[in-house]
């Protein structure tokens, strides 16, 4: 391991002996140790600290979050405090009708500066950096700011919309303890999912589970044990799959596309390249599955994330969820795939971008903000551009083609199989630049296919929009107001949102 790596990494090196023994970088070892410790400490909030005062529970969340940040990032962890501090000052001094837009701009500028610093000084051996937690903190401070702006000014964003964040009815600025404990809560600090303020406060104050039964008595909270075990098992399975496939299908092979003399450029067929790209991106997704499922387990183990009951009475612990693994991997259309990926980030983008401003540029606003939020590597922008045109094209194609296959079961089965394969091809094609990051290999990858999927999508976008169902979805893209429960509505809205 190079000297430069140690000079750049500011986190703890106490467990360097473990890093050397198992062959994982010290930053990844620290991340795993911090998350395992968080999983164990989270249990305190369901047993010893369940009846503690809200102030004490806030303090424990804050202290553990600060300790985890310093353990993983050392002196860089100062940014975890500076960004919320700037946002809190703005929350106090900016007129309430502007506070959401101002805090979004300020936090994105701050985050962008650190993204650029990482991109300029990035060392190839360094995997974990401070921008990950700062991306989560940015989501928290901006969602809270918009909730305050909307609720304190009694403003409706869209008369026909169902706002996933502003329904929290946050009607006053939180105290410093509430604010910093919320922004630095350890359960999701390292890699999300974003927790909205109303959900966090309900967890802290203990009223999330106070359901009144028919006999007017309070029902005790359901146990998250099954959900925690399931998600920890899923996280371990994803880690094993990653370690099994990472050496067989490394991303470095795709980076060789920028060299015309490489074997990949000279002899690989487009079909084999696409198959290899699918397996390589699957390996990368396993890292996300591992981290996100473990983070969800931490939330659930602390009592956070309960989302009502299934029809059979089984408790649902998916309120704090970033990923539906099977929903993404087996999606039959592009919309379902992107709605299953980074789900709570979808809800955040919907609040701060999709529902702000006119309807004409909704999709463009969402993809642009998502790209900048991720950073400034060219691969991000190539992926989000492809995702944007694929989203619009897929909607038009589905509106025109799908009705032709609904008159018989065999035709519907053929259509479902075809759309599954098409979705996997389109998703692989679109996401290779996201994981490769650099411009040259990304363009070389697209060049291998003569940019064919781009041209097909652009052609599909020119299909006349004379289908009544499509016109209606283009006009509103949102369901009308209904009397359904909040959980039912949130599930439907997440399924309709077309972002990543």
């Amino acid at each position: 391991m190079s000297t430069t790596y140690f000079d750049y990494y500011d986190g703890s090196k106490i467990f360097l002996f473990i890093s050397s023994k198992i062959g994982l970088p010290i930053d990844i070892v620290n991340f795993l140790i911090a998350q395992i410790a968080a999983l164990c400490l989270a249990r305190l909030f369901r047993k010893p600290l369940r009846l503690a005062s809200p102030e004490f529970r806030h303090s424990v969340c804050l202290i553990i979050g600060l300790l985890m940040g310093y353990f993983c990032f050392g002196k860089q962890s100062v940014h975890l405090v500076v960004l919320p501090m700037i946002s809190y000052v703005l929350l106090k001094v900016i007129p309430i009708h502007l506070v959401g837009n101002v805090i979004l701009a300020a936090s994105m500028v701050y985050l962008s500066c650190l993204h650029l610093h990482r991109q300029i000084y990035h060392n190839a051996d360094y995997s974990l950096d401070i921008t990950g937690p700062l991306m989560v903190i940015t989501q928290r401070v901006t969602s809270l700011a918009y909730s305050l702006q909307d609720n304190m000014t009694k403003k409706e964003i869209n008369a026909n919309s169902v706002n996933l964040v502003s329904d929290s009815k946050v009607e006053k600025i939180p105290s410093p303890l509430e604010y910093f404990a919320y922004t630095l809560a350890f359960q999701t600090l390292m890699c999300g999912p974003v927790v909205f303020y109303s959900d966090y406060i309900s967890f802290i104050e203990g009223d999330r589970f106070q359901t009144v039964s028919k006999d007017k008595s309070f029902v005790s909270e359901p146990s998250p044990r099954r959900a925690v075990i399931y998600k920890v098992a899923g996280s371990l399975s994803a880690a094993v799959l990653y370690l099994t496939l990472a050496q067989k299908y490394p991303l470095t092979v795709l980076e060789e596309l920028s060299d015309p003399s490489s074997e990949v450029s000279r002899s690989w067929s487009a079909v084999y390249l696409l198959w290899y790209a699918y397996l390589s991106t699957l390996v990368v997704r396993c890292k996300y599955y591992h981290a996100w499922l473990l983070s969800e387990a931490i939330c659930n183990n602390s009592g956070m994330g309960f989302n009502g009951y299934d029809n059979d009475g089984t408790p649902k612990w998916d309120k704090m969820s970033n990923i539906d693994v099977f929903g993404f991997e087996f999606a039959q259309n592009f919309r379902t795939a992107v709605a299953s990926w980074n789900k709570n980030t979808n809800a955040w983008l919907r609040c701060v971008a999709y529902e702000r401003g006119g309807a004409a540029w909704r999709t463009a606003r969402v993809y642009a903000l998502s790209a900048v939020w991720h950073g400034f590597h060219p691969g991000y922008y190539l992926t989000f551009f492809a995702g944007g045109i694929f989203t619009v094209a897929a909607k038009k194609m589905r509106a025109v083609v799908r009705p032709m296959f609904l008159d018989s079961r065999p035709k519907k089965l053929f259509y479902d199989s075809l759309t599954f394969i098409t979705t996997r091809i389109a998703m692989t094609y679109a996401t290779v630049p996201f994981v490769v990051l650099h411009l040259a290999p990304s363009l070389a990858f697209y060049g291998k296919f003569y940019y064919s999927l781009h041209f097909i999508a652009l052609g599909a976008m020119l299909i006349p929009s004379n289908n009544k169902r499509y016109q209606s979805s283009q006009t509103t893209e949102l369901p009308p107001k209904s009397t359904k429960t909040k959980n039912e509505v949130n599930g439907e809205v997440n399924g309709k949102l077309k972002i990543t």
Side-chain angles (χ1 to χ4, degrees), residues 297-350:
I298 294 169
C299 288
N300 296 164
N301 206 33
S302 68
M304 191 186 298
F306 177 65
N307 198 24
Y309 294 87
D310 284 326
N311 294 331
D312 60 358
T314 303
K316 294 190 298 182
W317 288 88
D318 58 357
K319 180 68 173 177
M320 310 304 169
S321 177
N322 252 355
I323 185 66
D324 177 358
V325 177
F326 294 104
F328 181 86
E329 295 294 341
F330 298 99
Q332 294 178 0
N333 58 70
F334 206 80
R335 182 187 69 180
T336 301
V338 297
S340 301
W341 180 267
N342 221 348
K343 295 192 293 183
N344 273 27
T345 294
N346 286 353
W348 171 71
L349 286 167
R350 184 182 186 90

Side-chain angles (χ1 to χ4, degrees), residues 44 62 207 294 365 382 478 487 498:
L44 296 175
L62 176 59
D207 60 2
L294 183 57
R365 286 198 304 272
L382 292 174
L478 292 167
N487 290 338
K498 308 165 189 67

Side-chain angles (χ1 to χ4, degrees), residues 185-320:
F186 73 94
Q187 289 94 338
T188 61
L189 177 64
M190 298 301 292
C191 56
V194 59
V195 177
F196 297 117
Y197 185 74
S198 59
D199 297 318
Y200 171 76
I201 288 297
S202 295
F203 157 71
I204 288 295
E205 296 179 353
D207 60 2
R208 183 66 181 89
F209 304 99
Q210 292 184 1
T211 307
V212 181
S213 64
K214 292 181 180 180
D215 60 358
K216 306 299 182 181
S217 62
F218 285 105
V219 179
S220 61
E221 65 181 44
S223 171
R225 184 179 293 110
R226 178 183 297 180
V228 171
I229 293 173
Y230 172 80
K231 291 174 182 180
V232 169
S235 177
L236 291 174
S237 299
V240 170
L241 190 59
Y242 170 76
L243 294 174
T244 303
L245 298 178
Q247 298 299 321
K248 295 180 64 176
Y249 304 101
L251 281 175
T252 52
V253 173
L254 296 178
E255 294 172 0
E256 295 176 11
L257 285 166
S258 57
D259 180 7
S261 63
S262 67
E263 180 183 354
V264 179
S265 299
R266 289 185 294 103
S267 59
W268 281 22
S269 67
V271 173
Y272 183 75
L273 176 62
L274 188 66
W275 171 247
Y276 185 94
Y278 167 73
L279 294 173
S280 292
T281 53
L282 174 62
V283 170
V284 175
R285 289 198 298 275
C286 285
K287 290 199 299 184
Y288 286 95
Y289 295 157
H290 165 67
W292 284 344
L293 289 173
L294 183 57
S295 184
E296 289 179 31
I298 294 169
C299 288
N300 296 164
N301 206 33
S302 68
M304 191 186 298
F306 177 65
N307 198 24
Y309 294 87
D310 284 326
N311 294 331
D312 60 358
T314 303
K316 294 190 298 182
W317 288 88
D318 58 357
K319 180 68 173 177
M320 310 304 169

Side-chain angles (χ1 to χ4, degrees), residues 404-414:
M404 304 176 186
F405 293 86
L406 298 180
D407 55 354
S408 71
R409 187 175 182 85
K411 289 171 69 174
K412 179 63 166 58
L413 181 61
F414 173 77

Side-chain angles (χ1 to χ4, degrees), residues 87-108:
S87 299
Y88 194 70
V89 170
L90 292 174
L91 208 58
K92 289 286 191 178
V93 302
I94 297 297
I96 196 63
H97 67 282
L98 298 174
V99 72
N101 296 335
V102 172
I103 289 181
L104 176 63
S107 58
M108 290 301 296

